[in-house]
Amino acid sequence: MSEFTNVVEIFGENVFNDSVMQARLPKKVYKELKQTIEEGKDLTLEIADVVAHEMKEWAIEKGATHYTHWFQPLTGVTAEKHDSFITAPKEDGKVLMSFSGKELIKGEPDASSFPSGGLRATFEARGYTAWDCTSPAFVRQDAAGGTLCIPTAFCSYTGEALDQKTPLLRSMEAINEQSLRLLKLFGNTTSKRVTPSVGPEQEYFLVDEKKFLQRKDLIFTGRTLFGAMPPKGQELDDHYFGTIRQRIASFMKDVNQELWKLGVSSKTQHNEVAPAQHELAPIYAKVNIAVDHNQLIMQTLKRVACQHGLKCLLHEKPFAGVNGSGKHNNWSLTTDDGINLLEPGKTPHENVQFLLVLSCILKAVDIHADLLRESAADVGNDHRLGANEAPPAIISVFLGEQLEDVLEQLVSTGSATHSIKGGKLSTGVRTLPDLYKDATDRNRTSPFAFTGNKFEFRMVGSRDSVAGPNVVLNTIVAEAFREACDILEASDDFEMAVHDIIKKNCADHQRIVFNGNGYSEEWVKEAERRGLPNITSMVDSIPALVTDKTVKLFEEFHVFSKAELESRVEIKYESYAKAINIEARTMIDMAGKQIIPAVIKYTTTLAESINAVKLAGDVDVSVQTELLTETSSLLKETKEALKTLIRVTEEAAAKEEGCEQATYFRDTVFPAMEALRAPVDKLEMIVDKEIWPMPSYGDLLFEV
């Protein structure tokens, strides 16, 4: 039997949360800190010193010896530099443990080696981390002992954002300000803050560590670059929601315990569609905390997997032929006094505030569809989007039958007079209760779906931070709210002005609404007829960051400067080119050093067998000869494809960095990689398994 876990007792025990602060800080200091967290009031160094001392004492009690400013540079992962609490030894050889307010508030990491997209020259090394007091500090307990982790933002010496968090915090201010304007127009004087709430679901694969270490492609790139499909994949749908294997259940138990201690509300766990694929989903949190928590989830999945002799794969497409992994970003807007702006109520056609919010979101998504698509762009995601396992690359909004009907009424008649009701679902079994069903079905093919009281942005890649998509969502909706508020505040007839805005938004942006099958070819043609962009690759999505409308949007809300946007364009082109380059070089290495030698060994053995059988007498060797001929032909094809890949990879390195190089990698190098993979995967089905130099898909997916 496994050890009993008392979730209530351990939840948040390693977090310097509000209850800990209230218990340990003097009342005056606690009050000042709360005002900083909730109202953005400046924190004096005197108050910071008290907070830092108590935080240090608490962390030491949890086993911490070091502290770190934990930040999220533009690498896709987190970063940290550890400093111990010790001071210089005294004359008697003893040391003291100290931590000052200055050390809490500001850190100075070297900024030269993080991606900056030209914002910083290599020799310009200084950068700053600044404490994000709205996201609580925590103690991470691992092989290093205990480390006090302080969530921070990261900027350059000249003030530009070099991280994911700074723009996110800026976008939160933008959506808060415009949401409060809108609420006040509807008579709400009690809500003081509006915050986006996010619940990012996390998909991942687990494979055996020993088998992982025999695959250079998994080690270097996170995905398999070669691999023939096993006899069984996901065809029977028997893995989805199936009984969780004991080894995986033990892993999930430890993951949950680690996350609960860190205050991460890990809620749901289950088997996903593909073999060896699983999902973890937390409860909603304020968006900046949700972003931090998702990073902790990914790190914890990887760390705990190693403790169980497993490896966690977060790549969007670790295996060809089975579903890849994504991250569903559930986004809503909530006031500090518990009002969800996306709650339609029982009669949404009468909920004017909700209809205005909804129509503004439709407008925002339609106008900035290219930018929203770019926010989910990733090298690995190019394998998923539009491949009938994830949303299509075309941005559309699913509203469901109830809201689509309300929308149709508004567009056709100017007003909505009724809402479709859910009704009862009869099971046809007397011992089972009749169920009250929702008024709307769900649509798994929609990239941006309304699911009751939130929108689910389903395009985000499994490895990606959810910061980027939420920066975009917050800012584009803030823009739509601002434009509506400008009109309403200047209007003499509020009710008529609201009515007109809702009708106009719905009529002008109805094209973005689609409730049908997003996987169908008909939808691709229909989307083109509607004028919706179909951006199929990361390379083609990047220019959306620096269009005139995007620069205007972000600069007006002080989320990004033009220079910051241009830097991110450079970083994204570079990261795409580097990722494909690493994959190509890994294929070259594997094909040249492992696969071709193994095939030669097999053909040599086969040829020797043919000669030996012939010497034994008049025996038919046609089968062996046919195998030798086929294998030799595929070996030649492999060698020719390898030569081509080597050549085009070298040519890519000579291209001008940026769009030209990234485009060449996509259009020339990647097809050459696929051309090399094709004969190798056929060879895997012929060559003796004992000779084949790496574990197969069957080994990886089914032997966990």
Side-chain angles (χ1 to χ4, degrees), residues 9 60 137 209 230 257 312 420 482 500 528 599 619 649 703:
E9 282 188 5
I60 290 173
E209 184 177 27
Q257 288 184 352
C312 176
I420 296 173
R482 183 188 63 184
D500 290 346
E528 184 178 4
V599 177
V619 181
T649 302
E703 296 181 12

Side-chain angles (χ1 to χ4, degrees), residues 24 52-62 85 97:
R24 302 187 73 114
H53 174 76
E54 289 301 325
M55 190 182 288
K56 180 257 299 181
E57 292 295 303
W58 169 83
I60 290 173
E61 291 171 14
K62 298 290 180 183
F85 290 119
M97 305 286 270

Side-chain angles (χ1 to χ4, degrees), residues 379-548:
V379 185
N381 239 1
D382 278 5
H383 297 284
R384 293 177 62 246
L385 300 182
N388 287 14
E389 64 177 66
I394 304 164
I395 294 286
S396 64
V397 178
F398 170 79
L399 293 180
E401 294 89 342
Q402 185 185 58
L403 291 183
E404 188 178 40
D405 178 64
V406 171
L407 189 72
E408 288 284 355
Q409 294 177 59
L410 289 167
V411 172
S412 60
T413 68
S415 63
T417 59
H418 62 273
S419 299
I420 296 173
K421 301 297 181 183
K424 286 186 179 181
L425 178 67
S426 176
T427 61
V429 180
R430 285 183 296 172
T431 55
L432 294 178
D434 288 339
L435 305 174
Y436 285 96
K437 67 176 184 178
D438 296 318
T440 293
D441 200 353
R442 295 183 66 188
N443 188 333
R444 65 181 299 272
T445 72
S446 176
F448 198 74
F450 186 75
T451 54
N453 59 2
K454 65 187 185 299
F455 275 100
E456 185 178 28
F457 185 39
R458 299 170 57 90
M459 296 180 82
V460 187
S462 52
R463 288 178 300 177
D464 276 0
S465 167
V466 291
N470 286 296
V471 168
V472 171
L473 278 172
N474 294 346
T475 312
I476 64 176
V477 174
E479 180 188 55
F481 282 0
R482 183 188 63 184
E483 291 171 357
C485 290
D486 287 347
I487 295 170
L488 294 174
E489 287 170 353
S491 172
D492 294 328
D493 188 335
F494 177 77
E495 290 187 7
M496 183 56 68
V498 170
H499 172 274
D500 290 346
I501 292 173
I502 294 172
K503 182 181 177 182
K504 179 174 173 52
N505 284 348
C506 291
D508 291 353
H509 304 287
Q510 191 177 18
R511 68 172 187 166
I512 201 72
V513 177
F514 178 67
N515 284 354
N517 180 9
Y519 292 165
S520 68
E521 283 298 317
E522 290 77 15
W523 168 233
V524 175
K525 297 174 184 176
E526 171 64 15
E528 184 178 4
R529 188 190 66 77
R530 295 187 187 189
L532 300 178
N534 184 5
I535 304 169
T536 57
S537 80
M538 176 181 174
V539 174
D540 289 338
S541 74
I542 294 171
L545 284 170
V546 284
T547 62
D548 290 343

